[in-house]
Amino acid sequence: PKPLLPVLGHSLLSRTLERIAALNVERIGVNLHHKPDLIMSWLENSPYKDQITLFHENSLLGTGGALKNAQSLLGEGVFLVHNADILTDIDLKALVEVHRASGNIATLALHDYPAHNKVRINAVEQVVSVDGYSANPSPDTVRVLAYTGIAVYDAAFLAYLPDGISNVVNAWLAAMAAGKTVGSMDVTGCLWHDIGTPASYAAAIVDTLRRNGEGIYAAADVQGRNINIDGYVIIEDGCRLSEGAALRNAIVLPGVHIARETRYENCIVGDGFHVELSEPEFLGIPLSELGLQIGIGGSGRRYYRSHSDEGTVVRMVCPPDEADYERHIKYSEFFARHSVPVPKLLSVDVENKRAEFEDLGDLSLYNCLKFPRPAEDIESIYQKILISLISLHVDASNHIDECELLANRPFDYDYFRWETTYFLERFVEGLCGIQPDSWGALEGEFDRLARTADALPKAIIHRDFQSQNIMITRGVPRFIDYQGARLAPPAYDIASVLWDPYYRLEDAMRERLLAYYINLRIQRSGGDFSVQDFHKALLICRLQRHMQALGAYGFLSVVRGKPYFRKHIPEGLRLLKNDVTEAATAYPAIAALVTKL
């Protein structure tokens, strides 16, 4: 039954009941028809079993008849109706509050869903007609929206439902004809999916992941090694993947064993079966003339995957005000000449600020690490990354005169001060709502920190060298989002990747990786590299980087409306508190501020 389909570790029914129970409801009625024994068994073992009343439909009664059948439960007070086959994050508490304050006999949760927009509402959000039918024709329709399958009713609404089979829409119209108001709350933009087909199920799961800023979900008990994953991959509880198994855009249902060297793409995999879908169906994204949109980053740039005669390419489409377009193109050409592992630039459209690049796939380091991996495999991946980073810090840096745009773009005092101002405005004040105790002392320390950082030896750095900007393509690390590269202390990149809020490395592994990078630098730079000076630079760069990252999380979650960045704040703050603990005697005002956060 659809309500028992898994959604990232929890059944759809479990997610729905958890949201309903949070309203402090007295009783919950569950309507049963298809495979009732499975649902009854699940409910009997759920935390909600003592709240549940079951209502059986041996033959379907319709959307109205089901409510009439539950009149013994619903006959007093206000009640909420929630279809059991929809995945949503609609604010149920807000819907109840709107209903209680409105005087409506019913309040419907509506949204703009063009394929199903049939409910006409007026300027005060009252329903005036449904699918062309109206009890009281009204000329003041201002919007047409779709019913979400969620509504709040007064018990008096039940009087408008006949015994037996009926449609709830007819009861809405009957109540309106009797002078009652059926109101609405517009929830457009909320997560909402009707799990009616395999394609809609897959699209719902992918959209949920995407809204969480994720691409991979693997249950904690998943087993497998040397597994190839790419795209959106969901592996539910109790799954086992044999060596060499490959998944791209796949949902693996609970308890499935995937055999050795087996590949699944754009499909739902069950025990002994799989359902194949097209890529647009699986992703729930229609094809445009540019291809399928990919990526979930924080910038205004858009990326699309499209097919060419030689395979797939990635199209970058920048907004008209994109300041870094030219840099992106010039840096791509320059880095490629010096073996920095960036995607190959295939074509350029300067007038429209577009470009085509080699397709590196969808597996970032961030997503790669979402799949359970042995510690030695993780360390090996990072070692490859650090080897590639040397090509930027040493090889490209030795030829900086070939790229004028980069040679004239230092990470200087002004930029370091911008980072700490960003941290104050976007995170401390903007997100946390905290005012520093001593502005003078704090500004003085930020000034000294910036001057110290600016005085450090400089080379070319990526500047945002974290796990979401490192792709793993056929096991090889490749760098993206490098248009912000600058001349700066190389320790800034090391702070970004080894002290990354997106992925917490074990302390012992981080120390080994740091030593690994230092040995590489000594081999490549000889006497020009001081280990002692690098360690001093690293603490300065960690302070700067973690303040910048927290500022970015504040900006992206509040200003850009991407709340999933908030989940990285605890780790970013933990890292910054560790930084100030090490540097407290040097920067006591910064330490005092960070302690308050």
mmCIF file of all heavy atoms in Angstrom, residues 100-133:
data_model
loop_
_atom_site.group_PDB
_atom_site.id
_atom_site.type_symbol
_atom_site.label_atom_id
_atom_site.label_comp_id
_atom_site.label_asym_id
_atom_site.label_seq_id
_atom_site.Cartn_x
_atom_site.Cartn_y
_atom_site.Cartn_z
ATOM 1 N N ARG A 100 -9.526 28.063 12.690
ATOM 2 C CA ARG A 100 -10.171 28.468 13.955
ATOM 3 C C ARG A 100 -10.475 29.965 13.981
ATOM 4 O O ARG A 100 -11.460 30.401 14.587
ATOM 5 C CB ARG A 100 -9.269 28.097 15.133
ATOM 6 C CG ARG A 100 -9.183 26.597 15.401
ATOM 7 C CD ARG A 100 -8.444 26.338 16.695
ATOM 8 N NE ARG A 100 -8.295 24.919 16.987
ATOM 9 C CZ ARG A 100 -9.223 24.141 17.539
ATOM 10 N NH1 ARG A 100 -10.412 24.667 17.839
ATOM 11 N NH2 ARG A 100 -8.994 22.872 17.777
ATOM 12 N N ALA A 101 -9.635 30.766 13.332
ATOM 13 C CA ALA A 101 -9.828 32.220 13.365
ATOM 14 C C ALA A 101 -10.786 32.720 12.283
ATOM 15 O O ALA A 101 -11.156 33.892 12.287
ATOM 16 C CB ALA A 101 -8.472 32.911 13.185
ATOM 17 N N SER A 102 -11.226 31.828 11.380
ATOM 18 C CA SER A 102 -11.924 32.286 10.183
ATOM 19 C C SER A 102 -13.444 32.265 10.249
ATOM 20 O O SER A 102 -14.117 33.032 9.548
ATOM 21 C CB SER A 102 -11.492 31.413 8.996
ATOM 22 O OG SER A 102 -11.972 30.084 9.183
ATOM 23 N N GLY A 103 -14.007 31.361 11.036
ATOM 24 C CA GLY A 103 -15.450 31.161 10.992
ATOM 25 C C GLY A 103 -15.889 30.275 9.840
ATOM 26 O O GLY A 103 -17.088 30.095 9.594
ATOM 27 N N ASN A 104 -14.945 29.701 9.093
ATOM 28 C CA ASN A 104 -15.282 28.796 7.990
ATOM 29 C C ASN A 104 -15.830 27.483 8.526
ATOM 30 O O ASN A 104 -15.453 27.029 9.610
ATOM 31 C CB ASN A 104 -14.048 28.481 7.147
ATOM 32 C CG ASN A 104 -13.438 29.698 6.501
ATOM 33 O OD1 ASN A 104 -14.141 30.635 6.137
ATOM 34 N ND2 ASN A 104 -12.107 29.698 6.355
ATOM 35 N N ILE A 105 -16.684 26.846 7.735
ATOM 36 C CA ILE A 105 -17.078 25.481 8.070
ATOM 37 C C ILE A 105 -16.004 24.493 7.605
ATOM 38 O O ILE A 105 -15.873 23.393 8.127
ATOM 39 C CB ILE A 105 -18.453 25.131 7.455
ATOM 40 C CG1 ILE A 105 -19.007 23.879 8.140
ATOM 41 C CG2 ILE A 105 -18.360 24.976 5.931
ATOM 42 C CD1 ILE A 105 -20.460 23.601 7.813
ATOM 43 N N ALA A 106 -15.222 24.930 6.616
ATOM 44 C CA ALA A 106 -14.099 24.126 6.121
ATOM 45 C C ALA A 106 -13.020 25.071 5.618
ATOM 46 O O ALA A 106 -13.324 26.133 5.067
ATOM 47 C CB ALA A 106 -14.542 23.195 4.999
ATOM 48 N N THR A 107 -11.774 24.682 5.800
ATOM 49 C CA THR A 107 -10.631 25.460 5.295
ATOM 50 C C THR A 107 -9.712 24.495 4.552
ATOM 51 O O THR A 107 -9.188 23.548 5.151
ATOM 52 C CB THR A 107 -9.877 26.161 6.436
ATOM 53 O OG1 THR A 107 -10.793 26.975 7.176
ATOM 54 C CG2 THR A 107 -8.750 27.018 5.887
ATOM 55 N N LEU A 108 -9.539 24.747 3.276
ATOM 56 C CA LEU A 108 -8.772 23.853 2.416
ATOM 57 C C LEU A 108 -7.345 24.357 2.249
ATOM 58 O O LEU A 108 -7.126 25.555 2.048
ATOM 59 C CB LEU A 108 -9.417 23.759 1.028
ATOM 60 C CG LEU A 108 -10.946 23.621 0.961
ATOM 61 C CD1 LEU A 108 -11.378 23.527 -0.500
ATOM 62 C CD2 LEU A 108 -11.421 22.423 1.752
ATOM 63 N N ALA A 109 -6.381 23.457 2.282
ATOM 64 C CA ALA A 109 -5.005 23.801 1.929
ATOM 65 C C ALA A 109 -4.898 23.705 0.399
ATOM 66 O O ALA A 109 -5.099 22.636 -0.180
ATOM 67 C CB ALA A 109 -4.015 22.852 2.587
ATOM 68 N N LEU A 110 -4.608 24.839 -0.245
ATOM 69 C CA LEU A 110 -4.542 24.911 -1.705
ATOM 70 C C LEU A 110 -3.146 25.344 -2.147
ATOM 71 O O LEU A 110 -2.424 25.993 -1.385
ATOM 72 C CB LEU A 110 -5.569 25.915 -2.244
ATOM 73 C CG LEU A 110 -7.038 25.709 -1.853
ATOM 74 C CD1 LEU A 110 -7.897 26.824 -2.433
ATOM 75 C CD2 LEU A 110 -7.538 24.350 -2.315
ATOM 76 N N HIS A 111 -2.821 25.002 -3.370
ATOM 77 C CA HIS A 111 -1.540 25.460 -3.922
ATOM 78 C C HIS A 111 -1.670 25.607 -5.428
ATOM 79 O O HIS A 111 -2.624 25.121 -6.051
ATOM 80 C CB HIS A 111 -0.393 24.515 -3.554
ATOM 81 C CG HIS A 111 -0.513 23.122 -4.112
ATOM 82 N ND1 HIS A 111 0.569 22.298 -4.304
ATOM 83 C CD2 HIS A 111 -1.582 22.395 -4.519
ATOM 84 C CE1 HIS A 111 0.180 21.140 -4.789
ATOM 85 N NE2 HIS A 111 -1.121 21.167 -4.928
ATOM 86 N N ASP A 112 -0.689 26.307 -6.001
ATOM 87 C CA ASP A 112 -0.690 26.526 -7.438
ATOM 88 C C ASP A 112 -0.029 25.329 -8.104
ATOM 89 O O ASP A 112 1.187 25.155 -8.065
ATOM 90 C CB ASP A 112 0.071 27.814 -7.771
ATOM 91 C CG ASP A 112 -0.025 28.177 -9.245
ATOM 92 O OD1 ASP A 112 -0.822 27.539 -9.960
ATOM 93 O OD2 ASP A 112 0.686 29.101 -9.681
ATOM 94 N N TYR A 113 -0.842 24.489 -8.734
ATOM 95 C CA TYR A 113 -0.384 23.262 -9.386
ATOM 96 C C TYR A 113 -1.143 23.175 -10.703
ATOM 97 O O TYR A 113 -2.228 22.597 -10.783
ATOM 98 C CB TYR A 113 -0.683 22.057 -8.492
ATOM 99 C CG TYR A 113 0.071 20.799 -8.837
ATOM 100 C CD1 TYR A 113 1.357 20.591 -8.351
ATOM 101 C CD2 TYR A 113 -0.499 19.812 -9.625
ATOM 102 C CE1 TYR A 113 2.053 19.443 -8.648
ATOM 103 C CE2 TYR A 113 0.179 18.655 -9.931
ATOM 104 C CZ TYR A 113 1.457 18.470 -9.441
ATOM 105 O OH TYR A 113 2.161 17.317 -9.736
ATOM 106 N N PRO A 114 -0.620 23.829 -11.745
ATOM 107 C CA PRO A 114 -1.391 24.071 -12.967
ATOM 108 C C PRO A 114 -2.157 22.877 -13.506
ATOM 109 O O PRO A 114 -3.276 23.028 -14.001
ATOM 110 C CB PRO A 114 -0.318 24.549 -13.957
ATOM 111 C CG PRO A 114 0.696 25.222 -13.091
ATOM 112 C CD PRO A 114 0.744 24.395 -11.828
ATOM 113 N N ALA A 115 -1.602 21.683 -13.409
ATOM 114 C CA ALA A 115 -2.271 20.507 -13.969
ATOM 115 C C ALA A 115 -3.580 20.186 -13.258
ATOM 116 O O ALA A 115 -4.449 19.502 -13.811
ATOM 117 C CB ALA A 115 -1.337 19.303 -13.907
ATOM 118 N N HIS A 116 -3.731 20.673 -12.027
ATOM 119 C CA HIS A 116 -4.923 20.339 -11.240
ATOM 120 C C HIS A 116 -5.620 21.567 -10.659
ATOM 121 O O HIS A 116 -6.447 21.437 -9.754
ATOM 122 C CB HIS A 116 -4.547 19.388 -10.103
ATOM 123 C CG HIS A 116 -3.985 18.076 -10.581
ATOM 124 N ND1 HIS A 116 -4.752 17.105 -11.186
ATOM 125 C CD2 HIS A 116 -2.717 17.589 -10.571
ATOM 126 C CE1 HIS A 116 -3.999 16.077 -11.514
ATOM 127 N NE2 HIS A 116 -2.752 16.344 -11.161
ATOM 128 N N ASN A 117 -5.311 22.751 -11.139
ATOM 129 C CA ASN A 117 -5.949 23.962 -10.619
ATOM 130 C C ASN A 117 -7.429 24.008 -11.024
ATOM 131 O O ASN A 117 -7.759 24.224 -12.187
ATOM 132 C CB ASN A 117 -5.222 25.215 -11.136
ATOM 133 C CG ASN A 117 -3.901 25.461 -10.447
ATOM 134 O OD1 ASN A 117 -3.568 24.787 -9.473
ATOM 135 N ND2 ASN A 117 -3.141 26.421 -10.930
ATOM 136 N N LYS A 118 -8.309 23.801 -10.033
ATOM 137 C CA LYS A 118 -9.751 23.759 -10.296
ATOM 138 C C LYS A 118 -10.565 24.518 -9.249
ATOM 139 O O LYS A 118 -11.773 24.677 -9.410
ATOM 140 C CB LYS A 118 -10.236 22.308 -10.331
ATOM 141 C CG LYS A 118 -9.628 21.464 -11.456
ATOM 142 C CD LYS A 118 -10.132 20.044 -11.416
ATOM 143 C CE LYS A 118 -9.521 19.216 -12.545
ATOM 144 N NZ LYS A 118 -10.003 17.798 -12.511
ATOM 145 N N VAL A 119 -9.924 24.944 -8.164
ATOM 146 C CA VAL A 119 -10.646 25.594 -7.070
ATOM 147 C C VAL A 119 -10.476 27.105 -7.203
ATOM 148 O O VAL A 119 -9.365 27.625 -7.095
ATOM 149 C CB VAL A 119 -10.133 25.119 -5.693
ATOM 150 C CG1 VAL A 119 -10.929 25.782 -4.569
ATOM 151 C CG2 VAL A 119 -10.205 23.596 -5.586
ATOM 152 N N ARG A 120 -11.592 27.797 -7.427
ATOM 153 C CA ARG A 120 -11.556 29.257 -7.588
ATOM 154 C C ARG A 120 -11.816 29.920 -6.241
ATOM 155 O O ARG A 120 -12.748 29.541 -5.520
ATOM 156 C CB ARG A 120 -12.599 29.708 -8.619
ATOM 157 C CG ARG A 120 -12.320 29.184 -10.011
ATOM 158 C CD ARG A 120 -13.339 29.678 -11.038
ATOM 159 N NE ARG A 120 -12.987 29.212 -12.373
ATOM 160 C CZ ARG A 120 -12.147 29.845 -13.183
ATOM 161 N NH1 ARG A 120 -11.613 31.006 -12.811
ATOM 162 N NH2 ARG A 120 -11.852 29.356 -14.364
ATOM 163 N N ILE A 121 -10.972 30.904 -5.929
ATOM 164 C CA ILE A 121 -11.139 31.617 -4.659
ATOM 165 C C ILE A 121 -11.223 33.116 -4.925
ATOM 166 O O ILE A 121 -10.755 33.610 -5.961
ATOM 167 C CB ILE A 121 -9.984 31.308 -3.680
ATOM 168 C CG1 ILE A 121 -8.631 31.747 -4.260
ATOM 169 C CG2 ILE A 121 -9.955 29.838 -3.315
ATOM 170 C CD1 ILE A 121 -7.479 31.611 -3.283
ATOM 171 N N ASN A 122 -11.810 33.834 -3.960
ATOM 172 C CA ASN A 122 -11.950 35.285 -4.106
ATOM 173 C C ASN A 122 -10.852 36.006 -3.342
ATOM 174 O O ASN A 122 -9.902 35.381 -2.844
ATOM 175 C CB ASN A 122 -13.345 35.730 -3.670
ATOM 176 C CG ASN A 122 -13.617 35.411 -2.197
ATOM 177 O OD1 ASN A 122 -12.689 35.214 -1.406
ATOM 178 N ND2 ASN A 122 -14.889 35.340 -1.829
ATOM 179 N N ALA A 123 -10.988 37.311 -3.211
ATOM 180 C CA ALA A 123 -9.923 38.139 -2.628
ATOM 181 C C ALA A 123 -9.694 37.843 -1.152
ATOM 182 O O ALA A 123 -8.610 38.113 -0.625
ATOM 183 C CB ALA A 123 -10.251 39.619 -2.817
ATOM 184 N N VAL A 124 -10.708 37.295 -0.466
ATOM 185 C CA VAL A 124 -10.534 36.967 0.959
ATOM 186 C C VAL A 124 -10.345 35.463 1.142
ATOM 187 O O VAL A 124 -10.563 34.919 2.217
ATOM 188 C CB VAL A 124 -11.725 37.486 1.802
ATOM 189 C CG1 VAL A 124 -11.718 38.999 1.837
ATOM 190 C CG2 VAL A 124 -13.050 36.941 1.274
ATOM 191 N N GLU A 125 -9.898 34.792 0.064
ATOM 192 C CA GLU A 125 -9.505 33.381 0.070
ATOM 193 C C GLU A 125 -10.651 32.433 0.385
ATOM 194 O O GLU A 125 -10.442 31.326 0.887
ATOM 195 C CB GLU A 125 -8.315 33.149 1.019
ATOM 196 C CG GLU A 125 -7.086 33.955 0.625
ATOM 197 C CD GLU A 125 -5.824 33.506 1.334
ATOM 198 O OE1 GLU A 125 -5.893 33.237 2.536
ATOM 199 O OE2 GLU A 125 -4.782 33.421 0.656
ATOM 200 N N GLN A 126 -11.878 32.847 0.060
ATOM 201 C CA GLN A 126 -13.027 31.947 0.170
ATOM 202 C C GLN A 126 -13.248 31.247 -1.164
ATOM 203 O O GLN A 126 -13.086 31.835 -2.238
ATOM 204 C CB GLN A 126 -14.285 32.718 0.563
ATOM 205 C CG GLN A 126 -14.225 33.312 1.968
ATOM 206 C CD GLN A 126 -15.439 34.167 2.276
ATOM 207 O OE1 GLN A 126 -16.185 34.563 1.374
ATOM 208 N NE2 GLN A 126 -15.643 34.468 3.551
ATOM 209 N N VAL A 127 -13.627 29.993 -1.100
ATOM 210 C CA VAL A 127 -13.892 29.225 -2.309
ATOM 211 C C VAL A 127 -15.193 29.711 -2.936
ATOM 212 O O VAL A 127 -16.210 29.878 -2.241
ATOM 213 C CB VAL A 127 -13.989 27.721 -1.982
ATOM 214 C CG1 VAL A 127 -14.379 26.914 -3.219
ATOM 215 C CG2 VAL A 127 -12.659 27.214 -1.413
ATOM 216 N N VAL A 128 -15.169 29.958 -4.256
ATOM 217 C CA VAL A 128 -16.376 30.396 -4.953
ATOM 218 C C VAL A 128 -16.869 29.351 -5.944
ATOM 219 O O VAL A 128 -18.060 29.336 -6.284
ATOM 220 C CB VAL A 128 -16.158 31.755 -5.667
ATOM 221 C CG1 VAL A 128 -15.876 32.843 -4.654
ATOM 222 C CG2 VAL A 128 -15.036 31.667 -6.693
ATOM 223 N N SER A 129 -15.971 28.466 -6.413
ATOM 224 C CA SER A 129 -16.413 27.382 -7.289
ATOM 225 C C SER A 129 -15.328 26.323 -7.354
ATOM 226 O O SER A 129 -14.163 26.585 -7.039
ATOM 227 C CB SER A 129 -16.739 27.896 -8.693
ATOM 228 O OG SER A 129 -15.551 28.262 -9.382
ATOM 229 N N VAL A 130 -15.744 25.121 -7.776
ATOM 230 C CA VAL A 130 -14.808 24.004 -7.906
ATOM 231 C C VAL A 130 -15.057 23.331 -9.245
ATOM 232 O O VAL A 130 -16.183 22.857 -9.509
ATOM 233 C CB VAL A 130 -14.966 22.988 -6.760
ATOM 234 C CG1 VAL A 130 -13.920 21.880 -6.904
ATOM 235 C CG2 VAL A 130 -14.843 23.662 -5.400
ATOM 236 N N ASP A 131 -14.046 23.305 -10.086
ATOM 237 C CA ASP A 131 -14.140 22.652 -11.391
ATOM 238 C C ASP A 131 -15.338 23.166 -12.195
ATOM 239 O O ASP A 131 -16.031 22.404 -12.882
ATOM 240 C CB ASP A 131 -14.233 21.130 -11.215
ATOM 241 C CG ASP A 131 -13.823 20.374 -12.477
ATOM 242 O OD1 ASP A 131 -13.221 21.008 -13.372
ATOM 243 O OD2 ASP A 131 -14.118 19.179 -12.564
ATOM 244 N N GLY A 132 -15.589 24.464 -12.073
ATOM 245 C CA GLY A 132 -16.670 25.077 -12.832
ATOM 246 C C GLY A 132 -18.018 25.042 -12.166
ATOM 247 O O GLY A 132 -18.975 25.680 -12.634
ATOM 248 N N TYR A 133 -18.144 24.296 -11.067
ATOM 249 C CA TYR A 133 -19.428 24.209 -10.367
ATOM 250 C C TYR A 133 -19.439 25.163 -9.186
ATOM 251 O O TYR A 133 -18.484 25.235 -8.418
ATOM 252 C CB TYR A 133 -19.684 22.782 -9.875
ATOM 253 C CG TYR A 133 -19.809 21.790 -10.991
ATOM 254 C CD1 TYR A 133 -18.710 21.030 -11.382
ATOM 255 C CD2 TYR A 133 -21.013 21.620 -11.670
ATOM 256 C CE1 TYR A 133 -18.814 20.115 -12.423
ATOM 257 C CE2 TYR A 133 -21.123 20.708 -12.712
ATOM 258 C CZ TYR A 133 -20.024 19.961 -13.079
ATOM 259 O OH TYR A 133 -20.125 19.062 -14.107
#
